[in-house]
Structures are given as C-alpha cells and as structure tokens.
Amino acid sequence: KKLEYDLPQIPSTQFFIGRNGSGKSCALWTMLNDGYIYKGKSIFDEAVIFLGTMDAVDSYKQLPIKNIIVLHEYNNKDFEEYLTDLAKHQMERMEKKKRKLNILLVFDDFLGNNLLQAVSKEKGSPLEMLSIKARHEYNASLFFCTQTFRHKSFSSPTLRNNVNYYL
C-alpha cells in the first residue's frame, strides 16, 4: 500500500520524546488521523490506547480506526492476557490464509505506570516481551509519547534496543 505521506514503516516501535507541551501527542494523533490512511481508511485494524491524562480521550476515540479502545489504567496481567489472545487470533488468521490484523498500541504520558513490571518471578514484563515480538508474532506497532527516556519505566535495554524510530 502506498500512503499519501512518507511516514515510518509499520509495524514498528516509535518513541515520541519531547518536553511538556512540545506537541508529541498532537504529532502522533495527526499521523494516525491523517497519515496512516489508505483510501480514506486507517491502515490499523485495532487500537489499544493507554492515556495518562484525560484531556485527549475524545480526540483519540474519533480516530478512523474500526476497533479502538482508550484506557487510563495499565495492568500487566490483563495486558499479558490480551497479548496471548492476540497471538492466538493472529495465528488463526494465518492458518486460514488471511492477512494478520494491523495492531496499534499507544502509551501516551504513561511514564511511571509500572509498564516494565514483571508478572511473576518466572515471567518478565509483557511489554518488554512484546517489544521483541511485536513486528513478527503480533504484527503490532508500539507508539510511546514521553518526556523522559531514561526513567525506570523505560530503563530496559530490551525495550530501548527494539525502538525503530525516535521522533
């Protein structure tokens, strides 16, 4: 598919880093609303958007993505369950010779919400594991909007080393 704008390839992991009020969320929203569009429709089939603030809820809910949910809380066990279901669903689609769904996961102003907390001693963080498998197993794009890069929420070399684009 050829998009109207020259944007980072998906699936990918993208970090939008900047000061408070620098336009990170606005830039991301514009990319999703105007950029990642093909023939008037979003190229994403499903979106899960984690927002740390309430001011952008209505804007994100109006994105032209058919299946979209906006959340304000993050729970590692729930997220792990979602990823397990998503992987199963994507494999079922492949077995039926259907294309994988394009998945979008956004973490906007979610610094300090224990994103990298391990589910148990045996298992690591679902988000950290997703950063490794996102493009292949899940066909997912991860977009992070943050003011700081080297905070405990992003202290994992695994996550940082799997970022494709810094904006």
mmCIF file of all heavy atoms in Angstrom, residues 131-167:
data_model
loop_
_atom_site.group_PDB
_atom_site.id
_atom_site.type_symbol
_atom_site.label_atom_id
_atom_site.label_comp_id
_atom_site.label_asym_id
_atom_site.label_seq_id
_atom_site.Cartn_x
_atom_site.Cartn_y
_atom_site.Cartn_z
ATOM 1 N N SER A 131 7.965 -6.006 22.938
ATOM 2 C CA SER A 131 8.902 -5.192 22.157
ATOM 3 C C SER A 131 9.791 -6.056 21.272
ATOM 4 O O SER A 131 10.230 -5.616 20.217
ATOM 5 C CB SER A 131 9.739 -4.294 23.075
ATOM 6 O OG SER A 131 10.695 -5.043 23.795
ATOM 7 N N ILE A 132 10.019 -7.280 21.675
ATOM 8 C CA ILE A 132 10.836 -8.210 20.878
ATOM 9 C C ILE A 132 10.011 -8.842 19.761
ATOM 10 O O ILE A 132 10.470 -8.994 18.639
ATOM 11 C CB ILE A 132 11.426 -9.317 21.774
ATOM 12 C CG1 ILE A 132 12.357 -8.713 22.824
ATOM 13 C CG2 ILE A 132 12.148 -10.373 20.943
ATOM 14 C CD1 ILE A 132 12.764 -9.689 23.911
ATOM 15 N N LYS A 133 8.776 -9.207 20.064
ATOM 16 C CA LYS A 133 7.941 -9.976 19.142
ATOM 17 C C LYS A 133 6.901 -9.159 18.383
ATOM 18 O O LYS A 133 6.160 -9.708 17.575
ATOM 19 C CB LYS A 133 7.201 -11.063 19.914
ATOM 20 C CG LYS A 133 8.083 -12.039 20.634
ATOM 21 C CD LYS A 133 7.229 -13.010 21.430
ATOM 22 C CE LYS A 133 8.054 -14.029 22.176
ATOM 23 N NZ LYS A 133 7.203 -14.968 22.917
ATOM 24 N N ALA A 134 6.811 -7.865 18.650
ATOM 25 C CA ALA A 134 5.713 -7.042 18.133
ATOM 26 C C ALA A 134 5.551 -7.137 16.624
ATOM 27 O O ALA A 134 4.445 -7.333 16.122
ATOM 28 C CB ALA A 134 5.901 -5.584 18.549
ATOM 29 N N ARG A 135 6.633 -6.967 15.893
ATOM 30 C CA ARG A 135 6.524 -6.907 14.433
ATOM 31 C C ARG A 135 6.208 -8.264 13.816
ATOM 32 O O ARG A 135 5.532 -8.332 12.807
ATOM 33 C CB ARG A 135 7.809 -6.344 13.830
ATOM 34 C CG ARG A 135 8.009 -4.878 14.171
ATOM 35 C CD ARG A 135 9.276 -4.317 13.574
ATOM 36 N NE ARG A 135 10.451 -5.024 14.078
ATOM 37 C CZ ARG A 135 11.412 -5.508 13.298
ATOM 38 N NH1 ARG A 135 11.377 -5.354 12.012
ATOM 39 N NH2 ARG A 135 12.437 -6.141 13.826
ATOM 40 N N HIS A 136 6.681 -9.321 14.404
ATOM 41 C CA HIS A 136 6.536 -10.631 13.774
ATOM 42 C C HIS A 136 5.309 -11.394 14.256
ATOM 43 O O HIS A 136 4.408 -11.690 13.477
ATOM 44 C CB HIS A 136 7.801 -11.457 13.994
ATOM 45 C CG HIS A 136 9.020 -10.781 13.465
ATOM 46 N ND1 HIS A 136 9.270 -10.649 12.122
ATOM 47 C CD2 HIS A 136 10.037 -10.151 14.101
ATOM 48 C CE1 HIS A 136 10.396 -9.985 11.939
ATOM 49 N NE2 HIS A 136 10.881 -9.664 13.127
ATOM 50 N N GLU A 137 5.269 -11.710 15.519
ATOM 51 C CA GLU A 137 4.193 -12.548 16.043
ATOM 52 C C GLU A 137 2.854 -11.816 16.121
ATOM 53 O O GLU A 137 1.810 -12.380 15.852
ATOM 54 C CB GLU A 137 4.587 -13.061 17.431
ATOM 55 C CG GLU A 137 3.641 -14.091 17.983
ATOM 56 C CD GLU A 137 4.171 -14.735 19.251
ATOM 57 O OE1 GLU A 137 5.396 -14.868 19.402
ATOM 58 O OE2 GLU A 137 3.335 -15.094 20.095
ATOM 59 N N TYR A 138 2.902 -10.521 16.478
ATOM 60 C CA TYR A 138 1.667 -9.775 16.722
ATOM 61 C C TYR A 138 1.289 -8.826 15.588
ATOM 62 O O TYR A 138 0.176 -8.343 15.543
ATOM 63 C CB TYR A 138 1.789 -8.961 18.018
ATOM 64 C CG TYR A 138 2.051 -9.817 19.232
ATOM 65 C CD1 TYR A 138 3.344 -9.938 19.751
ATOM 66 C CD2 TYR A 138 1.025 -10.514 19.849
ATOM 67 C CE1 TYR A 138 3.581 -10.721 20.868
ATOM 68 C CE2 TYR A 138 1.258 -11.301 20.955
ATOM 69 C CZ TYR A 138 2.546 -11.404 21.460
ATOM 70 O OH TYR A 138 2.784 -12.186 22.556
ATOM 71 N N ASN A 139 2.219 -8.516 14.715
ATOM 72 C CA ASN A 139 2.013 -7.504 13.672
ATOM 73 C C ASN A 139 1.521 -6.203 14.313
ATOM 74 O O ASN A 139 0.566 -5.578 13.863
ATOM 75 C CB ASN A 139 1.033 -7.981 12.609
ATOM 76 C CG ASN A 139 1.175 -7.202 11.316
ATOM 77 O OD1 ASN A 139 2.290 -6.954 10.862
ATOM 78 N ND2 ASN A 139 0.073 -6.772 10.737
ATOM 79 N N ALA A 140 2.204 -5.814 15.377
ATOM 80 C CA ALA A 140 1.792 -4.657 16.173
ATOM 81 C C ALA A 140 2.805 -3.527 16.084
ATOM 82 O O ALA A 140 4.010 -3.763 16.064
ATOM 83 C CB ALA A 140 1.618 -5.065 17.630
ATOM 84 N N SER A 141 2.286 -2.325 16.058
ATOM 85 C CA SER A 141 3.102 -1.122 16.151
ATOM 86 C C SER A 141 2.938 -0.549 17.545
ATOM 87 O O SER A 141 1.818 -0.423 18.044
ATOM 88 C CB SER A 141 2.666 -0.087 15.107
ATOM 89 O OG SER A 141 2.978 -0.537 13.816
ATOM 90 N N LEU A 142 4.056 -0.210 18.176
ATOM 91 C CA LEU A 142 4.051 0.377 19.515
ATOM 92 C C LEU A 142 4.476 1.825 19.406
ATOM 93 O O LEU A 142 5.548 2.117 18.875
ATOM 94 C CB LEU A 142 5.034 -0.362 20.432
ATOM 95 C CG LEU A 142 4.887 -1.868 20.535
ATOM 96 C CD1 LEU A 142 6.035 -2.457 21.353
ATOM 97 C CD2 LEU A 142 3.568 -2.214 21.160
ATOM 98 N N PHE A 143 3.647 2.723 19.912
ATOM 99 C CA PHE A 143 3.969 4.151 19.897
ATOM 100 C C PHE A 143 3.976 4.647 21.343
ATOM 101 O O PHE A 143 3.005 4.468 22.063
ATOM 102 C CB PHE A 143 2.930 4.946 19.106
ATOM 103 C CG PHE A 143 2.937 4.701 17.620
ATOM 104 C CD1 PHE A 143 3.804 3.826 17.009
ATOM 105 C CD2 PHE A 143 2.044 5.377 16.823
ATOM 106 C CE1 PHE A 143 3.797 3.615 15.649
ATOM 107 C CE2 PHE A 143 2.017 5.179 15.439
ATOM 108 C CZ PHE A 143 2.900 4.293 14.854
ATOM 109 N N PHE A 144 5.079 5.270 21.737
ATOM 110 C CA PHE A 144 5.230 5.818 23.081
ATOM 111 C C PHE A 144 5.406 7.328 22.981
ATOM 112 O O PHE A 144 6.238 7.799 22.204
ATOM 113 C CB PHE A 144 6.467 5.243 23.775
ATOM 114 C CG PHE A 144 6.414 3.770 24.023
ATOM 115 C CD1 PHE A 144 6.869 2.870 23.069
ATOM 116 C CD2 PHE A 144 5.923 3.273 25.223
ATOM 117 C CE1 PHE A 144 6.833 1.498 23.297
ATOM 118 C CE2 PHE A 144 5.883 1.912 25.467
ATOM 119 C CZ PHE A 144 6.335 1.017 24.501
ATOM 120 N N CYS A 145 4.656 8.091 23.763
ATOM 121 C CA CYS A 145 4.859 9.535 23.906
ATOM 122 C C CYS A 145 5.350 9.766 25.328
ATOM 123 O O CYS A 145 4.660 9.388 26.285
ATOM 124 C CB CYS A 145 3.568 10.315 23.687
ATOM 125 S SG CYS A 145 2.961 10.260 21.999
ATOM 126 N N THR A 146 6.524 10.360 25.470
ATOM 127 C CA THR A 146 7.099 10.537 26.793
ATOM 128 C C THR A 146 7.985 11.775 26.859
ATOM 129 O O THR A 146 8.502 12.222 25.835
ATOM 130 C CB THR A 146 7.903 9.283 27.213
ATOM 131 O OG1 THR A 146 8.388 9.444 28.533
ATOM 132 C CG2 THR A 146 9.055 9.012 26.254
ATOM 133 N N GLN A 147 8.145 12.297 28.059
ATOM 134 C CA GLN A 147 9.022 13.444 28.261
ATOM 135 C C GLN A 147 10.436 13.008 28.612
ATOM 136 O O GLN A 147 11.377 13.767 28.448
ATOM 137 C CB GLN A 147 8.478 14.337 29.379
ATOM 138 C CG GLN A 147 7.158 14.980 29.016
ATOM 139 C CD GLN A 147 6.580 15.775 30.166
ATOM 140 O OE1 GLN A 147 7.305 16.280 31.009
ATOM 141 N NE2 GLN A 147 5.263 15.875 30.197
ATOM 142 N N THR A 148 10.579 11.819 29.138
ATOM 143 C CA THR A 148 11.900 11.320 29.508
ATOM 144 C C THR A 148 12.123 9.937 28.943
ATOM 145 O O THR A 148 11.207 9.135 28.821
ATOM 146 C CB THR A 148 12.070 11.252 31.036
ATOM 147 O OG1 THR A 148 10.867 10.771 31.611
ATOM 148 C CG2 THR A 148 12.451 12.561 31.619
ATOM 149 N N PHE A 149 13.367 9.683 28.633
ATOM 150 C CA PHE A 149 13.732 8.425 28.001
ATOM 151 C C PHE A 149 14.391 7.470 28.984
ATOM 152 O O PHE A 149 14.173 6.283 28.932
ATOM 153 C CB PHE A 149 14.670 8.732 26.830
ATOM 154 C CG PHE A 149 15.130 7.522 26.082
ATOM 155 C CD1 PHE A 149 14.224 6.726 25.423
ATOM 156 C CD2 PHE A 149 16.461 7.186 26.039
ATOM 157 C CE1 PHE A 149 14.633 5.603 24.720
ATOM 158 C CE2 PHE A 149 16.883 6.071 25.335
ATOM 159 C CZ PHE A 149 15.967 5.280 24.683
ATOM 160 N N ARG A 150 15.189 7.977 29.870
ATOM 161 C CA ARG A 150 15.917 7.125 30.807
ATOM 162 C C ARG A 150 15.275 7.169 32.190
ATOM 163 O O ARG A 150 15.877 7.562 33.166
ATOM 164 C CB ARG A 150 17.376 7.535 30.879
ATOM 165 C CG ARG A 150 18.122 7.215 29.625
ATOM 166 C CD ARG A 150 19.587 7.057 29.935
ATOM 167 N NE ARG A 150 20.290 6.626 28.749
ATOM 168 C CZ ARG A 150 20.631 5.379 28.515
ATOM 169 N NH1 ARG A 150 20.332 4.435 29.370
ATOM 170 N NH2 ARG A 150 21.273 5.061 27.420
ATOM 171 N N HIS A 151 14.052 6.778 32.260
ATOM 172 C CA HIS A 151 13.296 6.694 33.500
ATOM 173 C C HIS A 151 13.075 5.216 33.779
ATOM 174 O O HIS A 151 13.190 4.387 32.876
ATOM 175 C CB HIS A 151 11.950 7.427 33.320
ATOM 176 C CG HIS A 151 11.110 7.465 34.539
ATOM 177 N ND1 HIS A 151 10.252 6.455 34.873
ATOM 178 C CD2 HIS A 151 11.000 8.393 35.517
ATOM 179 C CE1 HIS A 151 9.631 6.754 35.998
ATOM 180 N NE2 HIS A 151 10.066 7.931 36.414
ATOM 181 N N LYS A 152 12.741 4.867 35.010
ATOM 182 C CA LYS A 152 12.565 3.453 35.337
ATOM 183 C C LYS A 152 11.525 2.768 34.458
ATOM 184 O O LYS A 152 11.588 1.570 34.233
ATOM 185 C CB LYS A 152 12.228 3.273 36.810
ATOM 186 C CG LYS A 152 10.901 3.873 37.230
ATOM 187 C CD LYS A 152 10.665 3.690 38.695
ATOM 188 C CE LYS A 152 9.356 4.355 39.090
ATOM 189 N NZ LYS A 152 9.071 4.183 40.499
ATOM 190 N N SER A 153 10.570 3.514 33.923
ATOM 191 C CA SER A 153 9.567 2.900 33.052
ATOM 192 C C SER A 153 10.159 2.450 31.722
ATOM 193 O O SER A 153 9.615 1.571 31.065
ATOM 194 C CB SER A 153 8.429 3.883 32.775
ATOM 195 O OG SER A 153 7.667 4.059 33.932
ATOM 196 N N PHE A 154 11.257 3.087 31.308
ATOM 197 C CA PHE A 154 11.883 2.722 30.041
ATOM 198 C C PHE A 154 13.324 2.291 30.239
ATOM 199 O O PHE A 154 14.134 2.380 29.334
ATOM 200 C CB PHE A 154 11.840 3.906 29.074
ATOM 201 C CG PHE A 154 10.453 4.348 28.733
ATOM 202 C CD1 PHE A 154 10.038 5.632 29.024
ATOM 203 C CD2 PHE A 154 9.558 3.483 28.142
ATOM 204 C CE1 PHE A 154 8.756 6.042 28.723
ATOM 205 C CE2 PHE A 154 8.275 3.882 27.841
ATOM 206 C CZ PHE A 154 7.872 5.160 28.130
ATOM 207 N N SER A 155 13.665 1.816 31.437
ATOM 208 C CA SER A 155 15.052 1.505 31.741
ATOM 209 C C SER A 155 15.516 0.194 31.125
ATOM 210 O O SER A 155 16.677 -0.144 31.213
ATOM 211 C CB SER A 155 15.270 1.475 33.258
ATOM 212 O OG SER A 155 14.497 0.438 33.836
ATOM 213 N N SER A 156 14.645 -0.532 30.514
ATOM 214 C CA SER A 156 15.004 -1.826 29.945
ATOM 215 C C SER A 156 15.770 -1.665 28.634
ATOM 216 O O SER A 156 15.254 -1.098 27.668
ATOM 217 C CB SER A 156 13.732 -2.630 29.676
ATOM 218 O OG SER A 156 13.992 -3.688 28.798
ATOM 219 N N PRO A 157 16.991 -2.193 28.577
ATOM 220 C CA PRO A 157 17.724 -2.176 27.309
ATOM 221 C C PRO A 157 16.968 -2.936 26.212
ATOM 222 O O PRO A 157 17.041 -2.581 25.046
ATOM 223 C CB PRO A 157 19.053 -2.853 27.640
ATOM 224 C CG PRO A 157 19.193 -2.728 29.113
ATOM 225 C CD PRO A 157 17.802 -2.731 29.668
ATOM 226 N N THR A 158 16.234 -3.973 26.602
ATOM 227 C CA THR A 158 15.466 -4.739 25.619
ATOM 228 C C THR A 158 14.466 -3.836 24.910
ATOM 229 O O THR A 158 14.363 -3.855 23.684
ATOM 230 C CB THR A 158 14.716 -5.904 26.302
ATOM 231 O OG1 THR A 158 15.664 -6.729 26.968
ATOM 232 C CG2 THR A 158 13.932 -6.719 25.294
ATOM 233 N N LEU A 159 13.742 -3.044 25.660
ATOM 234 C CA LEU A 159 12.766 -2.130 25.061
ATOM 235 C C LEU A 159 13.463 -1.069 24.218
ATOM 236 O O LEU A 159 13.119 -0.849 23.061
ATOM 237 C CB LEU A 159 11.909 -1.483 26.148
ATOM 238 C CG LEU A 159 10.852 -0.495 25.671
ATOM 239 C CD1 LEU A 159 9.863 -1.168 24.721
ATOM 240 C CD2 LEU A 159 10.119 0.102 26.846
ATOM 241 N N ARG A 160 14.465 -0.414 24.792
ATOM 242 C CA ARG A 160 15.161 0.663 24.069
ATOM 243 C C ARG A 160 15.843 0.157 22.794
ATOM 244 O O ARG A 160 15.846 0.831 21.775
ATOM 245 C CB ARG A 160 16.182 1.348 24.975
ATOM 246 C CG ARG A 160 15.552 2.235 26.016
ATOM 247 C CD ARG A 160 16.572 3.159 26.669
ATOM 248 N NE ARG A 160 17.802 2.510 27.048
ATOM 249 C CZ ARG A 160 18.083 2.028 28.258
ATOM 250 N NH1 ARG A 160 17.200 2.134 29.217
ATOM 251 N NH2 ARG A 160 19.232 1.468 28.514
ATOM 252 N N ASN A 161 16.406 -1.032 22.839
ATOM 253 C CA ASN A 161 17.118 -1.566 21.673
ATOM 254 C C ASN A 161 16.192 -2.013 20.549
ATOM 255 O O ASN A 161 16.651 -2.282 19.436
ATOM 256 C CB ASN A 161 18.032 -2.719 22.071
ATOM 257 C CG ASN A 161 19.208 -2.262 22.898
ATOM 258 O OD1 ASN A 161 19.619 -1.105 22.820
ATOM 259 N ND2 ASN A 161 19.745 -3.157 23.704
ATOM 260 N N ASN A 162 14.902 -2.117 20.837
ATOM 261 C CA ASN A 162 13.948 -2.522 19.813
ATOM 262 C C ASN A 162 13.116 -1.368 19.272
ATOM 263 O O ASN A 162 12.139 -1.568 18.560
ATOM 264 C CB ASN A 162 13.041 -3.632 20.342
ATOM 265 C CG ASN A 162 13.759 -4.964 20.338
ATOM 266 O OD1 ASN A 162 13.970 -5.554 19.289
ATOM 267 N ND2 ASN A 162 14.175 -5.428 21.510
ATOM 268 N N VAL A 163 13.519 -0.141 19.582
ATOM 269 C CA VAL A 163 12.854 1.040 19.033
ATOM 270 C C VAL A 163 13.372 1.259 17.607
ATOM 271 O O VAL A 163 14.572 1.275 17.371
ATOM 272 C CB VAL A 163 13.101 2.290 19.901
ATOM 273 C CG1 VAL A 163 12.540 3.539 19.241
ATOM 274 C CG2 VAL A 163 12.485 2.096 21.280
ATOM 275 N N ASN A 164 12.449 1.409 16.671
ATOM 276 C CA ASN A 164 12.819 1.632 15.271
ATOM 277 C C ASN A 164 12.964 3.108 14.923
ATOM 278 O O ASN A 164 13.763 3.464 14.064
ATOM 279 C CB ASN A 164 11.775 1.010 14.333
ATOM 280 C CG ASN A 164 11.565 -0.457 14.596
ATOM 281 O OD1 ASN A 164 10.584 -0.834 15.212
ATOM 282 N ND2 ASN A 164 12.487 -1.278 14.150
ATOM 283 N N TYR A 165 12.156 3.955 15.555
ATOM 284 C CA TYR A 165 12.139 5.374 15.214
ATOM 285 C C TYR A 165 12.026 6.221 16.473
ATOM 286 O O TYR A 165 11.215 5.942 17.346
ATOM 287 C CB TYR A 165 10.952 5.727 14.297
ATOM 288 C CG TYR A 165 10.922 4.935 13.022
ATOM 289 C CD1 TYR A 165 10.121 3.805 12.909
ATOM 290 C CD2 TYR A 165 11.663 5.343 11.921
ATOM 291 C CE1 TYR A 165 10.086 3.076 11.721
ATOM 292 C CE2 TYR A 165 11.632 4.617 10.733
ATOM 293 C CZ TYR A 165 10.839 3.484 10.653
ATOM 294 O OH TYR A 165 10.799 2.769 9.477
ATOM 295 N N TYR A 166 12.864 7.249 16.539
ATOM 296 C CA TYR A 166 12.772 8.275 17.575
ATOM 297 C C TYR A 166 12.326 9.545 16.915
ATOM 298 O O TYR A 166 12.963 10.028 15.980
ATOM 299 C CB TYR A 166 14.128 8.481 18.260
ATOM 300 C CG TYR A 166 14.589 7.293 19.060
ATOM 301 C CD1 TYR A 166 15.425 6.333 18.500
ATOM 302 C CD2 TYR A 166 14.174 7.127 20.377
ATOM 303 C CE1 TYR A 166 15.838 5.238 19.227
ATOM 304 C CE2 TYR A 166 14.587 6.022 21.117
ATOM 305 C CZ TYR A 166 15.434 5.086 20.527
ATOM 306 O OH TYR A 166 15.837 4.007 21.272
ATOM 307 N N LEU A 167 11.222 10.102 17.376
ATOM 308 C CA LEU A 167 10.691 11.322 16.782
ATOM 309 C C LEU A 167 10.662 12.445 17.798
ATOM 310 O O LEU A 167 10.578 12.232 18.963
ATOM 311 C CB LEU A 167 9.277 11.071 16.245
ATOM 312 C CG LEU A 167 9.169 9.862 15.303
ATOM 313 C CD1 LEU A 167 7.743 9.429 15.151
ATOM 314 C CD2 LEU A 167 9.767 10.211 13.978
#
